[in-house]
Amino acid sequence: MKRICLLAVLAGLLVTAPPAAAAFTAPELFVRQQAWDSHDDTGPWLPLAGAPAINFLGGYEIGARMQDSGEPHNLQRMALQVTGVPDGAPTQPSNPAPYCVTRATDPPGTVVPAGPELQFEGDGTYTVKVSIGAGTGDADDCLAGPSRSGSFSVGVLVAPVLVGQPMTFRLKPVPSTGFVGVKTAAPPGGLGDVQCRLGSLVVPADDASDFVSEDDFPRPGGWSCIARGTAEGRDDNLDTVVFGTPWSAPLAVPVRTDFRRAKGRISRAKTKRPRLTFGAEWPDLVAGASASIKFSRVAGCKGKKYKLRSTRRYRGRFGPKSLRVTIRRPRKTGFYYGSVAFKGSPYVRAGTDPYPLLLTKTRKKRVGFADPHAFPACPGYKP
C-alpha cells in the first residue's frame, strides 16, 4: 500500500511540475522600414539572411522570429546590438548599448521587434546582432544566449532636375506661373536638398531646400548643382542632427539673363566725332560680343509715339569692360532717341537694352545725355 501511495505522489508531482525550458538556437533575423520617430511607414519584414537593400531614410526596425520557449505565453527575452553603420560610429541614442527586452506571443514563429527602431545614418551597410534567452533572469542574461548577426544596406538615389531656363533678369515675364529653376524630389522617408555653386557663390547659403528658383541665383553663368537626401535624427545628447546621403553627380545649369547696359559716358563731346562708351551689367559675360547703337532725331509726336527722323546706326564690340563707339555729331540741334542692341553671348541673350538712350545736341554743338525730365514726351507714350 505504501508503495502505491508513493507512486501516486510522484505521478502528481510530474503532472504539476512546470515544463522544462526549451533550448534556444541562433534567432532568424529580419528588417523592415519604419520611421524611428513616428513609428509609421511600416514595410514588410525582409530576411536579413538575404542582406536586403532598402530605399528609405526614415528608420528601420530589426525583428527576430519567436522560438518555442517552453514558458507560459511563450515568454522569452532578446537584445539588439548595432555593430556597424555607414559612418563607422553608431549614433543610436535609443539603443546606445544592447539590453534585454521581454517578448511573449503565441504561437511560436511570429516575427517581433528585437529592440527599438534604428535611425538613418547615411547610405551604406548596417550590421546588427540579436541575442536570445529565457524569459526570466537577470537584466542582461539574454546577452549570453545564442546570437546571430546580419546586415542590410540603404541606397537612396537623389538627383537634381533642371526645370525651364533660369534667368536672373527677363525683359518679358515667364508666360506661365510654373516653377523655373532646379529641384529634386523628396526621397522615401526623407527630404531633398539641392545646392548650386558658381566659383565661391553657393545657393542656398545656409538652410537646406529641395529647390533653387531662378530668383535665388545672384548672377548668370555656368552653375553646377548637386542634390542629396536628408533625414533628421538625434545625436548621443539627444540634440537634433541631420544625416545625409552622398551628394549626387553635378548637373550643369546655364543661368542666363537679358541684356542691360550700365551707365555710359560721352567723350570728345564738342568734336565732329563724339565717342560713346557703355558698360554692361555683366561685363565679363559680354566681352568680345558685338552690339549696335541706333539713334534718331525726335521730330514731334505721332499719336502716342515719337516721330523720328535721320536714323543712324553704329556698330561696335564689347571689350573687357565696355563698348566704345565713335559717332558722327548730328547736324541739327534737338533731342535724339536711341537704343543699344546686343547681339548675344553664351549667358546673355540677344536683345535691346530696356533703357532708352536719350541724347541731345545743344546750340553750342555739344553732344550729351539728355535730362529725362527735360526730354519731350508724347501723351501716353511708353517706350
Side-chain angles (χ1 to χ4, degrees), residues 9 11 18 23 34 85 101 117-118 188 221 240 282 289 318 324 338 362:
V9 171
Q34 177 165 314
V85 292
V101 295
E117 296 97 337
L118 308 183
T240 300
W282 305 106
F318 275 95
R324 180 177 294 177
T362 66

Side-chain angles (χ1 to χ4, degrees), residues 148-325:
R148 189 186 300 274
S149 296
S151 65
F152 66 95
S153 63
V154 177
V156 179
L157 298 178
V158 180
V161 177
L162 176 61
V163 180
Q165 171 56 70
M167 302 275 291
T168 59
F169 166 70
R170 293 178 182 272
L171 284 173
K172 296 181 179 179
V174 180
S176 66
T177 57
F179 172 82
V180 176
V182 179
K183 64 180 182 179
T184 188
L191 299 174
D193 183 13
V194 174
Q195 189 177 90
C196 297
R197 179 182 296 272
L198 176 63
S200 61
L201 299 175
V202 178
V203 291
D206 299 316
D207 298 334
S209 175
D210 60 355
F211 69 91
V212 177
S213 72
E214 68 174 9
D215 295 333
D216 296 323
F217 291 103
R219 62 159 294 157
W223 288 78
S224 178
C225 298
I226 52 179
R228 66 172 182 170
T230 64
E232 189 175 277
R234 300 285 180 179
D235 62 15
D236 293 334
N237 296 321
L238 299 181
D239 295 324
T240 300
V241 62
V242 175
F243 296 99
T245 68
W247 288 102
S248 70
L251 172 69
V253 177
V255 178
R256 297 184 170 88
T257 182
D258 281 324
F259 175 77
R260 284 189 291 191
R261 64 179 171 88
K263 292 182 178 181
R265 67 180 186 274
I266 297 177
S267 56
R268 303 189 306 189
K270 294 184 178 181
T271 68
K272 293 182 179 181
R273 297 283 185 174
R275 179 178 293 167
L276 276 63
T277 302
F278 295 101
E281 183 179 15
W282 305 106
D284 60 314
L285 300 180
V286 301
S290 61
S292 63
I293 294 176
K294 180 180 73 173
F295 64 90
S296 307
R297 183 173 60 85
V298 177
C301 295
K302 187 177 181 180
K304 295 182 180 181
K305 296 184 178 181
Y306 286 117
K307 188 187 297 182
L308 302 176
R309 297 286 187 270
S310 304
T311 299
R312 293 182 179 273
R313 189 187 301 272
Y314 301 92
R315 292 178 174 83
R317 191 173 297 274
F318 275 95
K321 295 183 179 180
S322 61
L323 167 73
R324 180 177 294 177
V325 175

Side-chain angles (χ1 to χ4, degrees), residues 118-138:
L118 308 183
Q119 66 183 10
F120 171 75
E121 288 193 59
D123 275 6
T125 300
Y126 294 72
T127 305
V128 297
K129 177 182 177 181
V130 176
S131 305
I132 192 168
T136 57
D138 295 333

Side-chain angles (χ1 to χ4, degrees), residues 30-34 42-46 54 59-63 113:
F30 299 82
V31 64
R32 66 180 176 182
Q33 68 176 49
Q34 177 165 314
T42 302
W45 287 114
L46 304 173
I54 300 179
Y60 320 97
E61 190 164 49
I62 303 301

